[in-house]
Amino acid sequence: MMSDLHEALRENVRSLGESLGRTISDHRGDAFLEKVEQIRKLAKDARDHDEAARDELLEVLNNLSYDEVLPVARAFTQFLNLANIAEEHHRVRRRLEITDVCTPDSLCSLFARLRQRGFNAKTVAETLSEMQVDLVLTAHPTEVNRRTLIQKYDGVADCLRRLDQGESAEHRLNELISQIWHTDEIRQQRPTPVEEAKWGFAVIENSLWQAIPQFLKRLDAQLDETLGERLPLDAAPIRFASWMGGDRDGNPNVTAKVTEEVLLLSRWMAADLYFRDVDALRAELSMAKASEALRNRVGHDCAEPYRELLADVRTKLSNTKDWIFARLKGQPLPHVPIYNSSEELMEPLMLCHQSLVDCGMSIIAEGALEDIIRRVACFGTSLVKLDIRQSSDRHAQVFEELAQFYGLGSYNGWTEEGRQNFLLKELQSRRPLFPRDWQPSPEVQEVLDTCRVVAEAEPNNLGSYVISMASSPSDVLSVILLLRDMGIGHNMRVVPLFETLADLDNARDCIAALLDVDWYKQYTEGHQEVMIGYSDSSKDAGQLAAAWGQFKAQEGLTELCKERGIHLTLFHGRGGTVGRGGGPSHTAILSQPPGSVDRSLRVTEQGEMIRFKFGIPEIAVRNLELYVGAVLEATLDPSPAPEQMWRQQMEQMAQHGLKSYRDVVRNDPQFVPYFRAATPEQELAKLPLGSRPAKRRQDGGVESLRAIPWIFAWTQIRLMLPAWLGSDTALGNAVEGGQAKLLRTMYKDWPFFRSYLNMLEMVLAKSDPQVSAYYDHQLVSEELRVLGSSLRSRLQRTIDLVNEIKQQDQLLVELPVIRQSIDVRNPYIDPLHVLQAELLNRDRTQPDKRLEQALMVTMAGISAGMRNTG
């Protein structure tokens, strides 16, 4: 069966490639297609260590004319995109083949294991019902593909599905591939934050809207079959939040007006989707028999009571859309009843459900009606809850200007105790904080406007207010004061984000100081949320030291909140790549410190990973299952705490890794010049990815660069430096010190270390020293090449160390499918690397607009081939 499936994948890749070839031939002629085929074959032979083929490949690519460079780059980029579609479709096909099989990592297997471990069925069911897992969709600038192309790619996937079912879809498939070829890959301008938010809504509409009821129905059925328990209909262990339109940290394009618009758009989109659902449901529920409770609502002489009640729901949803539209357009608001909360919408649906069950029509209740009820439980009336994120220094600036106006001196110059005393006094004061005749700076006015928008929003539509670069209790108290003064009517979660290694080390003390403030502890209502930053801590300290810092911070926070009787929710700011805390979500959750996952978890899903994980309903269901299973297992049956010997070894390796990483990144004067010369870091700014600037500041070195372009740049040249630099020294010192056996024990018995080493192995498998050396040869001065050579030696040393610890001959021995996927793509990515290096060279010496487009296409193509960007 499995070999048949793999043959089907190969056939899909071949047929898509042939269709692309015909399109290219029709547009550019047979001679051009032959050149593309020649390049592909030479790249494949070069990968098989044919030096003559490699030399010929370089000669052909470097001699391409200006008019040929762009179409060649596009040909290989689009083939990689089509190969990705075939692979994703193959994952769905495999998923459907095993849909009724209880695999080791499925929920039914987990339920059975928990029963064997002594957990009774009721405990498991209650834990599932209480779980609150928030997947927070973020629009970090990593989604390279344009939305219009994504829609065409979805169409290709649909054609492959139809072909599997024996339908005729060849003509439509060829049509779509021709459309893709004749559409520019690169946006002409950056998306706005509102466009990013709409992209997030589209993922929900096109996939998650269907996936959520499927997932919850499947979860309920497996719980029933395995343990004999059922979930409440309104249970939603997984919900969705978003940073799109709310994350203003370093992004001047996210304004109070944008946040207000996104909040309204998300409510409009939800109302529209529910309207369609209820309209279709009303057509189905034509039954006359109804409960007394339903009859009392609609009247005892009503012939079609369900339709009557749902007509009211539909009208109110239509009113809601009209009311929101009027607000968006600045028009007078209609005085009509609208839905402001999910409870209001849920009530008539549950009334219909209970009536159908009471009247012996359970089979009807379990259909489309239950799907809508489950959607309301998950998505509420706003699809996603919008988080707000802002940097602590922007809030401090408000109080600095206010203190100067009142003649109180410099707020920033006060001690932390002085700031806290001032803020607490104002929080308990009844007079307004801001004087009428005060004229704040535009920056401060923007902060105040944002807080006003948040205060006026429906509480159901809001998530958390995240403070980046938070380091002291006053950072949190200042936000609460601003929201209170703007009239917020509920205790919004205000969440410090600990990003750098120093902040992580200080996290426990900071939260302890906060909880020492009686007023604040009362404000929390027994629930504290803390965000752990992965991207910036990794850029600051290197992957190994950052991972250990994150682990220790979570341990300390878990212990502290347990002592204080506070429920802790950890919010993990993960990215798609290992350098940003990425990797398989299931293993990442299970590798957290014991006790740190207690029924609740928040985690960011960013950029193209949203589409990879949740863009297709069948794959979305699978990823939702993995999340819920991991959080349930980590809550009820966490792994034991690490042994003291392991901790000591990890502490020592983290110190070695930190020093080694910073010696290069911070202290080597050649590093920044090398980074700027060898990678397309400077040119990345030309790629219109997200709405956010690539840098926090336009001056400065690596420290001013955002974590995403920092990793994107190294990924493009296949050196993957952020994921392994420092680990080479740390692991090397341990192995040379006779600790190889201990490391193997840690790998076998400690999920944290196993997860770290497996993710390191995954990213090393995508690295390629030979590709990196070619960039050096083309772009880097003789003087700086010494550093590049040294880094590649260290990369190879890291590969050797991982193989030695895992006692294997090559990387990914245990994951042959991933190994094969990388090997298959390499011959298509290699020409893009050669082209990119050549284009960078030309662009830096003789800039030309024609080259810029081709250069951006190579970036997109390499990203597609690597299956991630930043």
Side-chain angles (χ1 to χ4, degrees):
M1 178 67 73
M2 197 58 72
S3 62
D4 290 346
L5 282 172
H6 285 306
E7 183 54 46
L9 171 60
R10 283 192 287 271
E11 175 59 27
N12 285 157
V13 172
R14 185 189 61 75
S15 66
L16 292 176
E18 286 179 355
S19 178
L20 178 63
R22 286 193 295 273
T23 298
I24 292 171
S25 177
D26 289 345
H27 182 224
R28 303 281 311 188
D30 290 341
F32 179 78
L33 179 61
E34 284 170 15
K35 181 168 279 192
V36 170
E37 275 298 303
Q38 177 195 16
I39 292 167
R40 185 191 66 80
K41 187 173 185 312
L42 289 171
K44 191 170 185 301
D45 292 343
R47 274 279 162 183
D48 294 331
H49 309 291
D50 183 336
E51 289 302 319
R54 177 175 169 75
D55 292 343
E56 190 177 349
L57 173 68
L58 296 178
E59 185 180 351
V60 171
L61 288 169
N62 290 334
N63 287 325
L64 290 175
S65 68
Y66 274 87
D67 292 335
E68 290 176 317
V69 168
L70 178 58
V72 166
R74 296 189 68 234
F76 285 93
T77 293
Q78 289 306 347
F79 179 83
L80 288 163
N81 279 316
L82 293 172
N84 287 346
I85 296 166
E87 197 167 271
E88 284 166 21
H89 173 65
H90 179 59
R91 286 168 63 200
V92 173
R93 189 160 44 207
R94 286 177 59 196
R95 179 87 183 123
L96 294 174
E97 288 286 330
I98 60 167
T99 188
D100 296 321
V101 180
C102 207
T103 56
D105 59 355
S106 63
L107 286 168
C108 49
S109 294
L110 173 59
F111 295 152
R113 278 201 310 278
L114 290 172
R115 184 173 55 194
Q116 289 166 2
R117 297 273 290 164
F119 295 96
N120 68 52
K122 199 166 187 61
T123 300
V124 175
E126 284 176 355
T127 305
L128 270 173
S129 300
E130 293 166 1
M131 268 170 43
Q132 291 190 343
V133 180
D134 274 7
L135 303 183
V136 185
L137 310 180
T138 71
H140 287 310
T142 57
E143 177 54 85
V144 175
N145 290 300
R146 293 175 59 194
R147 191 170 157 193
T148 185
L149 279 172
I150 290 170
Q151 289 165 344
K152 295 182 196 304
Y153 296 149
D154 288 345
V156 170
D158 184 58
C159 286
L160 294 178
R161 273 194 291 275
R162 287 165 55 195
L163 288 168
D164 280 353
Q165 291 162 4
E167 296 178 33
S168 175
E170 288 87 352
H171 182 79
R172 176 60 177 158
L173 186 63
N174 291 330
E175 182 187 3
L176 282 166
I177 288 174
S178 183
Q179 288 179 14
I180 288 165
W181 176 254
H182 290 285
T183 300
D184 285 344
E185 292 88 345
I186 308 299
R187 302 181 188 97
Q188 294 305 305
Q189 54 197 22
R190 291 181 181 275
T192 66
V194 172
E195 287 169 343
E196 288 176 329
K198 287 179 178 176
W199 178 83
F201 301 155
V203 172
I204 292 176
E205 179 184 4
N206 298 332
S207 176
L208 287 167
W209 198 252
Q210 180 184 336
I212 279 292
Q214 282 180 14
F215 157 68
L216 290 170
K217 192 174 287 187
R218 186 174 162 84
L219 174 63
D220 185 48
Q222 290 185 332
L223 187 65
D224 186 26
E225 288 166 17
T226 315
L227 299 178
E229 289 284 340
R230 300 294 299 268
L231 280 180
L233 250 185
D234 59 354
I238 285 198
R239 302 180 193 206
F240 295 89
S242 175
W243 278 15
M244 302 180 200
D247 178 13
R248 61 235 316 117
D249 178 23
N251 190 347
N253 300 312
V254 180
T255 61
K257 189 172 183 303
V258 163
T259 296
E260 184 176 25
E261 184 177 352
V262 168
L263 281 165
L264 290 168
L265 283 171
S266 68
R267 287 182 65 188
W268 189 94
M269 189 74 197
D272 186 54
L273 289 169
Y274 288 128
F275 180 89
R276 290 184 240 166
D277 278 2
V278 169
D279 194 46
L281 178 66
R282 187 174 173 275
E284 288 195 11
L285 298 190
S286 55
M287 294 65 66
K289 194 176 179 183
S291 66
E292 188 69 14
L294 181 53
R295 288 281 177 197
N296 288 338
R297 176 73 68 87
V298 299
H300 286 265
D301 56 350
C302 181
E304 295 181 320
Y306 299 95
R307 284 181 170 174
E308 185 73 19
L309 181 59
L310 291 174
D312 292 343
V313 174
R314 187 178 62 176
T315 299
K316 202 168 174 182
L317 285 166
S318 181
N319 290 345
T320 304
K321 289 167 60 180
D322 293 344
W323 185 88
I324 293 167
F325 185 80
R327 272 205 57 183
L328 283 166
K329 296 296 182 184
Q331 297 167 354
L333 299 179
H335 295 287
V336 289
I338 66 170
Y339 284 116
N340 283 314
S341 72
S342 53
E343 290 79 12
E344 293 172 45
L345 178 55
M346 185 71 89
E347 189 272 334
L349 298 173
M350 291 298 272
L351 181 59
C352 285
H353 188 274
Q354 191 61 55
S355 176
L356 288 168
V357 172
D358 291 348
C359 296
M361 294 180 277
S362 293
I363 191 168
I364 298 171
E366 290 166 2
L369 176 57
E370 282 194 2
D371 286 353
I372 302 175
I373 289 170
R374 287 181 164 126
R375 286 179 184 128
V376 174
C378 174
F379 297 113
T381 48
S382 61
L383 289 189
V384 292
K385 290 181 182 293
L386 188 68
D387 280 6
I388 306 298
R389 182 168 77 135
Q390 182 59 282
S391 179
S392 60
D393 59 356
R394 293 295 300 275
H395 307 126
Q397 188 184 350
V398 176
F399 291 99
E400 176 67 21
E401 290 189 16
L402 194 63
Q404 298 278 2
F405 178 84
Y406 279 129
L408 299 174
S410 170
Y411 175 85
N412 291 326
W414 296 350
T415 63
E416 171 61 17
E417 185 183 8
R419 285 196 291 267
Q420 283 187 42
N421 288 338
F422 170 79
L423 295 167
L424 286 166
K425 183 182 173 186
E426 292 296 332
L427 278 163
Q428 294 166 78
S429 168
R430 294 192 174 185
R431 65 170 173 74
L433 176 65
F434 303 111
R436 287 184 182 177
D437 55 344
W438 182 43
Q439 291 291 317
S441 66
E443 292 82 5
V444 164
Q445 188 61 54
E446 179 56 42
V447 173
L448 299 179
D449 290 345
T450 295
C451 290
R452 185 175 291 109
V453 166
V454 173
E456 291 171 356
E458 288 294 329
N460 288 319
N461 298 354
L462 297 169
S464 303
Y465 193 122
V466 179
I467 313 167
S468 55
M469 304 312 285
S471 58
S472 55
S474 62
D475 292 331
V476 174
L477 295 173
S478 63
V479 171
I480 299 173
L481 177 55
L482 291 173
L483 292 173
R484 282 282 177 97
D485 215 67
M486 290 300 162
I488 198 165
H490 72 290
N491 289 359
M492 187 177 185
R493 297 192 307 270
V494 178
V495 180
L497 163 54
F498 300 110
E499 297 178 86
T500 64
L501 188 60
D503 284 345
L504 288 168
D505 290 343
N506 186 49
R508 177 182 171 137
D509 289 346
C510 180
I511 299 300
L514 252 178
L515 295 175
D516 284 341
V517 178
D518 290 337
W519 185 93
Y520 176 78
K521 188 171 181 183
Q522 193 174 352
Y523 175 89
T524 66
E525 299 172 339
H527 180 205
Q528 176 66 52
E529 184 177 317
V530 177
M531 186 168 183
I532 302 293
Y534 287 74
S535 308
D536 283 293
S537 57
S538 182
K539 184 163 76 77
D540 171 48
Q543 177 63 18
L544 179 62
W548 183 234
Q550 292 147 12
F551 187 92
K552 289 191 297 179
Q554 291 175 66
E555 275 189 326
L557 291 165
T558 301
E559 190 180 294
L560 169 72
C561 289
K562 193 173 180 182
E563 288 171 5
R564 302 293 182 93
I566 299 281
H567 180 83
L568 173 69
T569 294
L570 287 167
F571 183 0
H572 299 268
R574 293 180 174 276
T577 57
V578 172
R580 302 192 58 239
S585 308
H586 184 263
T587 53
I589 292 167
L590 291 175
S591 69
Q592 303 307 314
S596 66
V597 180
D598 180 11
R599 290 162 294 153
S600 62
L601 177 86
R602 301 190 89 218
V603 61
T604 52
E605 290 287 0
Q606 57 87 350
E608 80 276 18
M609 299 312 294
I610 295 171
R611 189 162 55 87
F612 290 161
K613 287 185 178 181
F614 305 111
I616 297 173
E618 294 86 353
I619 293 176
V621 169
R622 173 63 178 151
N623 280 298
L624 294 169
E625 286 182 350
L626 288 171
Y627 262 118
V628 163
V631 172
L632 179 65
E633 187 171 358
T635 297
L636 292 177
D637 196 22
S639 57
E643 293 183 11
Q644 191 57 33
M645 191 184 300
W646 303 349
R647 298 183 68 90
Q648 289 169 352
Q649 182 62 47
M650 199 67 212
E651 188 67 41
Q652 191 176 57
M653 289 196 299
Q655 292 303 320
H656 291 164
L658 174 65
K659 182 180 184 305
S660 173
Y661 176 86
R662 286 183 174 170
D663 278 348
V664 174
V665 173
R666 290 192 182 182
N667 302 332
D668 188 333
Q670 289 194 322
F671 180 76
V672 171
Y674 172 76
F675 171 56
R676 298 248 151 93
T679 76
E681 181 261 331
Q682 304 277 40
E683 289 77 10
L684 273 174
K686 299 173 183 175
L687 191 57
L689 291 172
S691 66
R692 205 184 203 180
K695 291 189 175 186
R696 297 179 194 272
R697 302 192 313 274
Q698 290 312 306
D699 57 344
V702 170
E703 78 289 343
S704 70
L705 196 69
R706 290 197 168 278
I708 294 166
W710 159 248
I711 290 172
F712 194 130
W714 292 110
T715 303
Q716 290 282 303
I717 70 165
R718 304 288 285 278
L719 196 58
M720 321 297 276
L721 177 136
W724 60 263
L725 185 63
S727 295
D728 59 316
T729 305
L731 295 174
N733 288 351
V735 169
E736 287 159 15
Q739 300 301 317
K741 187 176 179 183
L742 176 62
L743 295 182
R744 287 181 192 123
T745 303
M746 289 163 62
Y747 177 78
K748 177 173 165 285
D749 297 333
W750 188 11
F752 165 76
F753 188 69
R754 182 164 60 250
S755 174
Y756 155 73
L757 204 66
N758 283 343
M759 286 196 282
L760 177 60
E761 179 184 28
M762 186 88 70
V763 80
L764 289 172
K766 291 186 176 184
S767 68
D768 193 317
Q770 191 174 12
V771 168
S772 164
Y774 183 74
Y775 280 84
D776 277 16
H777 175 73
Q778 292 294 94
L779 303 168
V780 177
S781 66
E782 288 280 356
E783 181 189 3
L784 294 175
R785 281 184 205 167
V786 177
L787 177 57
S789 179
S790 164
L791 292 173
R792 282 188 292 280
S793 297
R794 294 178 66 167
L795 168 61
Q796 187 57 55
R797 172 73 173 134
T798 315
I799 293 169
D800 295 340
L801 285 163
V802 169
N803 284 333
E804 185 175 348
I805 293 165
K806 294 191 72 173
Q807 296 181 294
Q808 59 192 21
D809 295 330
Q810 62 174 0
L811 299 172
L812 299 181
V813 169
E814 297 163 1
L815 295 167
V817 174
I818 295 175
R819 174 79 267 170
Q820 183 188 23
S821 176
I822 294 169
D823 290 344
V824 164
R825 280 173 171 74
N826 276 333
Y828 295 90
I829 309 175
D830 286 349
L832 292 171
H833 285 303
V834 175
L835 274 178
Q836 187 179 87
E838 174 66 18
L839 290 167
L840 286 169
N841 193 17
R842 292 189 198 180
D843 191 53
R844 289 172 184 179
T845 52
Q846 293 177 305
D848 186 307
K849 278 289 179 189
R850 289 177 298 175
L851 296 180
E852 272 189 20
Q853 181 76 0
L855 181 56
M856 289 190 282
V857 170
T858 65
M859 291 179 190
I862 292 166
S863 298
M866 300 293 285
R867 294 306 301 265
N868 54 25
T869 52

